[in-house]
Amino acid sequence: MMAYATPMGGLPKQTDDLTGKAVFTEAYAFLPAGTMRDIVTSYLPGWDGMRMWMIARPLSGFAETFSQYIVELQPGGGSDVPESNPEAQGVLFVTSGNMVLHCPLGRFDLRPGSYVFLPAGAGWRLRNEGDQIATFHWIRKKYQPAHGVPAPECFVTHDEDGTVVEMPDTGGKWSTTRFVEPSDLRHDFHVNIVNFQPGGVIPFEETHVMEHGLFVLEGTADYLLNRDWVSVGPGDFMWLRAFCPQACRATGEGPFRYLLYKDVNRHAGL
């Protein structure tokens, strides 16, 4: 069974040192797992038995296209009206526990690794019907219609069922688990999982228009964020504005994997 990092919550002891790693710059933000504690959680109307860490939100002059929450549901918790914005589409990715989703496709039992795409205007509801806490990522973006292109449809899948695409000439050390074909122009954002085997690298400074949210699901790496090499591990979150250079060197003895948001397939706003 795959295991995914989730926030530790709680509070550090009064005698503990600071993480010493959290940073917010003009080009990127880095939120170590140790910063996701009880006192930085929030709540939403229309939900019960929940709390969340809001780890990304649109900021003028920074990353403007998406928001990302890590939602924690107590047994019995959930919502019958989770999305209040009819223009917002979303992806859910489950990292712990079990939940029941009702969406236009029917009823689904979600487990760690479950992946759900919810188009704008789709009615859905979610409930933790188990006896353990459940945790999931909820990534939201305002849908950008395109002339002559139909809106995307709801789908439910799993990490194990995604299409793993190896990057050329890497021997499988760097790959991406895709849930939507890049050429499918109905979609204006992708949420993928990027995979590195030990020793895998991004061998150049990627510099591009896509904004990014990167949540480390497992493993460790040294990650280039603008001019800074940062050591990252399970539960850490990186938030990159457009054109922020990035590269990666996987470290450790196991896979390094992160959940990746990027905006795609549309004109730049003018």
Side-chain angles (χ1 to χ4, degrees):
M1 178 182 292
M2 295 183 178
Y4 307 98
T6 59
M8 64 184 67
L11 283 176
K13 297 178 181 178
Q14 292 285 291
T15 54
D16 286 356
D17 292 331
L18 297 178
T19 68
K21 296 168 63 179
V23 63
F24 187 92
T25 75
E26 74 286 350
Y28 74 90
F30 177 58
L31 282 64
T35 65
M36 299 179 197
R37 300 293 189 160
D38 288 356
I39 63 170
V40 296
T41 56
S42 186
Y43 305 89
L44 287 175
W47 289 78
D48 55 83
M50 73 84 75
R51 66 176 184 172
M52 68 177 189
W53 289 267
M54 185 180 292
I55 55 177
R57 53 154 291 178
L59 291 178
S60 179
F62 190 70
E64 301 181 341
T65 61
F66 75 109
S67 65
Q68 184 165 347
Y69 314 150
I70 304 174
V71 181
E72 183 182 272
L73 284 184
Q74 296 292 323
S79 178
D80 295 327
V81 284
E83 179 56 74
S84 60
N85 186 341
E87 296 182 292
Q89 56 191 329
V91 161
L92 312 180
F93 183 78
V94 181
T95 54
S96 71
N98 297 275
M99 295 172 291
V100 175
L101 169 76
H102 293 268
C103 69
L105 297 178
R107 180 189 189 278
F108 294 87
D109 294 317
L110 305 183
R111 59 188 174 92
S114 289
Y115 181 110
V116 182
F117 173 75
L118 298 157
W124 57 284
R125 61 186 191 271
L126 188 69
R127 187 70 54 180
N128 179 358
E129 297 185 359
D131 57 5
Q132 302 292 323
I133 291 173
T135 310
F136 65 96
H137 286 254
W138 182 7
I139 299 171
R140 302 167 68 242
K141 180 184 183 294
K142 181 179 178 180
Y143 180 59
Q144 293 177 262
H147 179 71
V149 178
E153 299 173 348
C154 180
F155 67 85
V156 180
T157 185
H158 193 275
D159 183 2
E160 296 171 345
D161 300 319
T163 302
V164 179
V165 179
E166 295 183 0
M167 298 302 172
D169 303 318
T170 65
K173 286 191 173 184
W174 174 20
S175 65
T176 301
T177 302
R178 294 176 178 167
F179 303 97
V180 171
E181 283 296 322
S183 60
D184 187 344
L185 296 182
R186 297 176 303 166
H187 289 270
D188 63 3
F189 78 109
H190 292 161
V191 176
N192 300 323
I193 296 176
V194 180
N195 316 291
F196 292 91
Q197 297 303 315
V201 300
I202 297 176
F204 71 106
E205 295 91 341
E206 287 192 39
T207 308
H208 50 61
V209 71
M210 286 87 83
E211 298 175 351
H212 276 342
L214 295 81
F215 181 85
V216 180
L217 297 170
E218 65 171 316
T220 60
D222 292 330
Y223 213 96
L224 176 66
L225 299 168
N226 200 19
R227 301 183 182 93
D228 307 320
W229 283 96
V230 179
S231 296
V232 302
D236 292 345
F237 181 69
M238 293 165 275
W239 188 14
L240 283 63
R241 70 178 298 175
F243 301 108
C244 176
Q246 61 172 312
C248 177
R249 303 188 193 110
T251 57
E253 299 180 355
F256 172 63
R257 308 183 77 217
Y258 56 81
L259 190 70
L260 172 71
Y261 162 90
K262 61 179 178 180
D263 51 309
V264 296
N265 297 342
R266 293 296 186 268
H267 280 295
L270 299 178

